[in-house]
Amino acid sequence: MKKYELVAPCHFGLEAVTKREIYDLGYEITRVEDGRVTFEGDAEAVCRANMFLRSAERILLLLGRFRALTYDELFENIKSIPWEDYIPENGRFWVKKASSIKSKLFSPSDIQSIAKKAMVERMKQSCHLDWFPEDGAPYPVRIFLLKDEVMVTLDTSGDSLHKRGYRLAMGKAPITETLAAALLMLTPWKKDRILVDPFCGSGTFPIEAALMAANIAPGIHRSFTAQEWTNLIPEHLWREAAEEAREMEDTDITADIQGYDIDAEVLKAARENAKRAGVEHLIHFQQRKAEDLRHPKKYGFIVTNPPYGERMEEKEALPGIYSQLGQAYRRLDTWSLYMITGYEDAERYIGRKADKNRKIYNGMLKTYFYQFPGPKPPKRGQKKMEQ
């Protein structure tokens, strides 16, 4: 089966998580850059990466890398790509997105226009046609320029992979599914440990944790653009990826995953989202203030996305919100706290400095993932000796 270079864009600062996921799927990493991981794989890898990667934003098929300082160079290099090997005569092809950072060619609309012309010229020569119906399967192209290096790709995913298909309703400041999953994978949380999100909103952290606990593939309830690329990817490979995903599921597990919020309507949406994800039986949602967080179990995890205070009236409430969270956390003296926030005084009002923090961009917002790991639980043999 033909090998491709595949690119998995991810959140800036979380490349190591995506890299580990790709290794675990069995593929070789060829390049790691800010915000993306490149790996080698065949048509089956396209299906499995889309189906199983929790932290990647999409899967791109890399067609070419080259330097271009002029639009003539851009045109000629894109024209030299063997588009006919990827796009059939009736394929619908266009440049879905072009981005440019620190490059001489900086106009996305000009890059898109010139790239399309170059693709058409190549297809005319190779297919011996003057006109293309473009009434077949979609082949969206994405082009990235960074410091004059151009990367030309085909988007196999379509909608971003954070669109799992379960979240129709969103809270005020939603965290994406891919970011929530990546942050959970940065913690040592495992499915046999309690997890609480005291600001759960539409339920993304608890739902992603439940999907991980039940080993439910993030892409099992959605479709992908490349499913229509029967010239490149046989249909049976998509079926096999879905069958592999269903065989791995274990929804009969027991888990202690909880989500609190003070807004009853938001909690209603969270429950509906969890139901669509197939994990409503694994999560307990409750209308409750963060300051009321108490739990008899030891060695639990708080993983949360508290308010940032984007509006002025919200900012005034932030010291109180973070102080109350800090007080609740101190009562749970064996627990761990992991928190993503853009609030600069978070540590001050939590009441202690984080053991670690990591800068992460949540969309265009600069945020930090503050990590307060608690003590490890004793091993089972040690527990018996203590008793």
Side-chain angles (χ1 to χ4, degrees):
M1 208 179 288
K2 184 177 178 180
K3 291 278 187 179
Y4 301 106
E5 271 203 285
L6 301 171
V7 182
C10 58
H11 277 85
F12 182 85
L14 294 173
E15 297 84 3
V17 176
T18 304
K19 182 180 172 183
R20 171 49 54 197
E21 279 201 279
I22 292 167
Y23 270 136
D24 289 346
L25 275 183
Y27 302 115
E28 185 180 341
I29 309 290
T30 58
R31 189 165 175 167
V32 179
E33 303 161 274
D34 287 346
R36 60 183 177 234
V37 180
T38 303
F39 62 104
E40 193 177 75
D42 54 16
E44 182 186 65
V46 174
C47 306
R48 296 184 71 238
N50 274 296
M51 182 66 67
F52 292 107
L53 292 182
R54 297 183 189 277
S55 63
E57 291 300 306
R58 56 184 71 247
I59 303 301
L60 306 172
L61 197 159
L62 181 62
L63 303 187
R65 280 186 193 264
F66 52 85
R67 279 180 64 78
L69 301 175
T70 68
Y71 284 114
D72 283 342
E73 287 180 327
L74 180 71
F75 181 90
E76 292 301 329
N77 277 290
I78 289 179
K79 187 182 170 186
S80 71
I81 293 170
W83 293 98
E84 67 279 4
D85 292 350
Y86 302 97
I87 302 172
E89 289 179 10
N90 71 334
R92 181 162 54 91
F93 57 97
W94 75 104
V95 182
K96 174 84 173 176
K97 186 177 180 182
S99 65
S100 178
I101 300 171
K102 298 179 182 176
S103 298
K104 286 190 167 57
L105 307 181
F106 58 83
S107 166
S109 59
D110 288 340
I111 293 165
Q112 286 172 295
S113 174
I114 287 164
K116 172 73 177 191
K117 286 175 185 173
M119 293 161 65
V120 169
E121 282 302 306
R122 173 72 188 215
M123 293 288 282
K124 277 182 178 179
Q125 291 176 7
S126 58
C127 301
H128 307 292
L129 292 172
D130 291 324
W131 179 81
F132 298 94
E134 296 202 49
D135 57 1
Y139 292 80
V141 176
R142 290 177 178 262
I143 298 176
F144 307 87
L145 279 78
L146 176 62
K147 296 179 181 177
D148 302 315
E149 183 180 75
V150 184
M151 189 172 79
V152 182
T153 69
L154 278 176
D155 182 0
T156 75
S157 303
D159 284 341
S160 171
L161 294 180
H162 82 263
K163 295 187 177 179
R164 316 282 207 221
Y166 68 74
R167 194 169 74 175
L168 303 184
M170 292 188 282
K172 290 177 187 174
I175 187 170
T176 66
E177 294 86 333
T178 45
L179 179 54
L183 295 178
L184 283 164
M185 286 187 276
L186 273 180
T187 78
W189 175 77
K190 295 289 185 287
K191 63 185 178 184
D192 61 344
R193 307 272 291 275
I194 181 174
L195 184 144
V196 177
D197 180 356
F199 301 96
C200 75
S202 55
T204 311
F205 268 131
I207 292 169
E208 288 297 317
L211 290 172
M212 291 164 65
N215 215 14
I216 297 173
I220 193 64
H221 297 303
R222 56 161 287 169
S223 60
F224 310 97
T225 294
Q227 284 175 284
E228 298 184 55
W229 299 357
T230 51
N231 61 314
L232 295 177
I233 304 173
E235 289 180 47
H236 72 87
L237 294 179
W238 292 105
R239 288 197 301 271
E240 287 168 10
E243 285 166 14
E244 180 186 357
R246 281 189 284 269
E247 285 171 8
M248 290 169 61
E249 283 184 16
D250 183 8
T251 55
D252 291 334
I253 62 161
T254 55
D256 196 344
I257 300 169
Q258 301 182 20
Y260 306 158
D261 206 280
I262 58 172
D263 189 327
E265 284 302 307
V266 165
L267 282 173
K268 183 181 175 185
R271 291 187 183 100
E272 289 169 357
N273 290 338
K275 188 174 183 180
R276 272 187 294 272
V279 293
E280 74 273 23
H281 63 296
L282 297 176
I283 307 170
H284 176 62
F285 289 109
Q286 188 177 147
Q287 188 173 3
R288 191 173 180 182
K289 293 179 181 177
E291 65 192 89
D292 296 331
L293 173 55
R294 289 173 173 79
H295 207 283
K297 286 186 180 178
K298 290 180 175 289
Y299 308 108
F301 284 76
I302 301 168
V303 183
T304 191
N305 174 36
Y308 299 0
E310 289 305 295
R311 292 198 295 270
M312 189 58 71
E313 63 269 23
E314 289 177 344
K315 278 190 176 176
E316 294 172 4
L318 292 183
I321 289 170
Y322 284 80
S323 294
Q324 289 160 5
L325 177 61
Q327 289 166 18
Y329 173 53
R330 283 192 290 279
R331 286 196 298 268
L332 299 163
D333 58 353
T334 63
W335 281 46
S336 301
L337 169 63
Y338 293 85
M339 171 181 67
I340 181 171
T341 179
Y343 183 43
E344 293 179 355
D345 288 330
E347 289 173 302
R348 175 185 169 190
Y349 289 108
I350 287 291
R352 60 171 275 200
K353 190 169 177 60
D355 293 41
K356 292 181 184 176
N357 75 55
R358 184 185 288 241
K359 183 164 65 175
I360 293 163
Y361 280 88
N362 183 7
M364 298 304 291
L365 284 174
K366 183 172 73 172
T367 62
Y368 289 90
F369 188 50
Y370 294 101
Q371 302 166 59
F372 304 86
K376 292 180 180 178
K379 292 177 181 175
R380 286 179 182 173
Q382 192 178 336
K383 273 186 186 176
K384 287 180 181 176
M385 286 174 64
E386 288 172 358
Q387 289 168 0

